[in-house]
Amino acid sequence: MPSILISGAGQGIGAAAAKLFYQQGYKVGIYDINAVQTQKLAQQLGENAKAGLLDVANIEHWQKALTEFTQWAGELNVLVNNAGILYSGAFEHTDIASHHRTIDINVKGVINGCYASLPYLQKAAFARVINLSSASAIYGQADLATYSASKFAVRGLTESLDIEWQKYGIRVLDVMPLFVQTAMVKDMDAESIRKMGVHLTPDDVAEQILSLATLKAHAFTPTHRAVGFKTKVLFNLSKISPQFVNRLSNLWIAQKQSALEK
């Protein structure tokens, strides 16, 4: 029975992925900083689900989680670095602690997960890492500056390790959704969410994670998976549009209507 460990699995995309993979016959590790949510979900799913506490910014948490999970599951086949946070609003109006926390979780958390999991992935019959990037990693987003920067970091790390770890037979891929209907986007202070809308569900993203985990990857398999029609359009246009066009289009997305009418 294949196994998967998902960080930030107590709610949202992580919980949706845990349910989907469980239905597909995986042993599922549900790890989150909220231990109550993980235990509740694991109990709902059944005996092939294991809950655990994980602060992704803490490498010792990762080491403990991976040790206990692999002892229970037998091996680690798929790692999903899903845990993340988002602060929105003007860069200068967001306190510096929140900027630092974004980097600690969204960037250091993914680095920690990849670093700590490699010895286990190398031993597995097949292994894959799937990171949660974002449409915000296509072009830097106003009022989401540090979040966007963190997802660019995830994108870069994914590309780098997908090449580095080819020698181990491990593909490192990511999904890049636009705004998803989760608690993270409630009360967001960014014009982009009003103009682009929130059309994706956690189930939509979970299905793409499952697709990446189960596909027979080859040399021409893309490292990035844009999720949703709008994300695919933005991602593909960014490849062919001149830089000034990308800037102007993102300037339009970011500008409030009142500013445009002046």
Side-chain angles (χ1 to χ4, degrees):
M1 182 179 290
S3 67
I4 180 172
L5 187 151
I6 306 167
S7 71
Q11 61 182 337
I13 294 170
K19 294 173 185 177
L20 183 58
F21 276 88
Y22 193 92
Q23 293 167 1
Q24 296 296 316
Y26 280 70
K27 286 187 175 182
V28 180
I30 304 168
Y31 283 79
D32 197 288
I33 198 166
N34 189 321
V36 174
Q37 287 180 327
T38 61
Q39 291 290 346
K40 183 178 179 181
L41 180 55
Q43 289 171 3
Q44 289 175 351
L45 292 180
E47 63 181 6
N48 287 325
K50 178 176 178 56
L53 175 68
L54 176 60
D55 175 359
V56 296
N58 187 324
I59 187 63
E60 293 178 354
H61 272 226
W62 270 108
Q63 292 165 341
K64 180 180 179 181
L66 286 160
T67 297
E68 66 180 25
F69 176 74
T70 52
Q71 288 176 350
W72 171 78
E75 65 179 8
L76 174 66
N77 299 116
V78 182
L79 171 68
V80 178
N81 283 305
N82 167 73
I85 59 169
L86 179 153
Y87 292 98
S88 61
F91 180 83
E92 65 272 21
H93 295 160
T94 303
D95 64 89
I96 194 64
S98 297
H99 288 298
H100 289 179
R101 185 164 183 258
T102 300
I103 298 302
D104 286 343
I105 295 173
N106 294 8
V107 181
K108 293 181 181 179
V110 178
I111 292 173
N112 285 343
C114 291
Y115 187 89
S117 68
L118 179 59
Y120 300 95
L121 295 169
Q122 287 176 295
K123 297 175 184 177
F126 78 93
R128 192 153 296 174
V129 177
I130 301 170
N131 297 325
L132 266 290
S133 186
S134 168
S136 296
I138 297 173
Y139 196 93
Q141 294 299 299
D143 297 322
L144 296 170
T146 302
Y147 175 79
S148 188
S150 74
K151 293 304 181 179
F152 267 96
V154 171
R155 176 177 175 171
L157 181 70
T158 302
E159 291 174 353
S160 300
L161 292 184
D162 195 30
I163 293 171
E164 277 193 46
W165 290 0
Q166 181 177 335
K167 60 181 177 285
Y168 303 129
I170 302 170
R171 287 302 304 267
V172 183
L173 311 171
D174 66 29
V175 291
M176 303 177 73
L178 197 57
F179 302 116
V180 183
Q181 295 169 16
T182 66
M184 197 163 71
V185 302
K186 288 183 178 179
D187 303 318
M188 266 184 60
D189 181 17
E191 185 66 11
S192 54
I193 195 169
R194 187 185 72 79
K195 288 183 177 172
M196 303 302 289
V198 184
H199 304 292
L200 293 172
T201 68
D203 289 336
D204 293 328
V205 184
E207 289 172 4
Q208 294 301 313
I209 294 171
L210 177 64
S211 174
L212 289 179
T214 55
L215 66 77
K216 294 183 178 180
H218 50 74
F220 298 102
T221 299
T223 305
H224 307 297
R225 173 72 63 88
V227 183
F229 176 76
K230 290 183 179 179
T231 313
K232 291 176 182 177
V233 171
L234 291 170
F235 187 59
N236 290 322
L237 284 177
S238 70
K239 298 176 183 178
I240 59 175
S241 300
Q243 186 177 7
F244 79 91
V245 172
N246 292 329
R247 181 182 183 278
L248 289 174
S249 62
N250 281 277
L251 181 62
W252 174 83
I253 291 172
Q255 283 185 313
K256 292 181 172 59
Q257 190 64 33
S258 58
L260 291 171
E261 293 173 349
K262 290 181 180 178

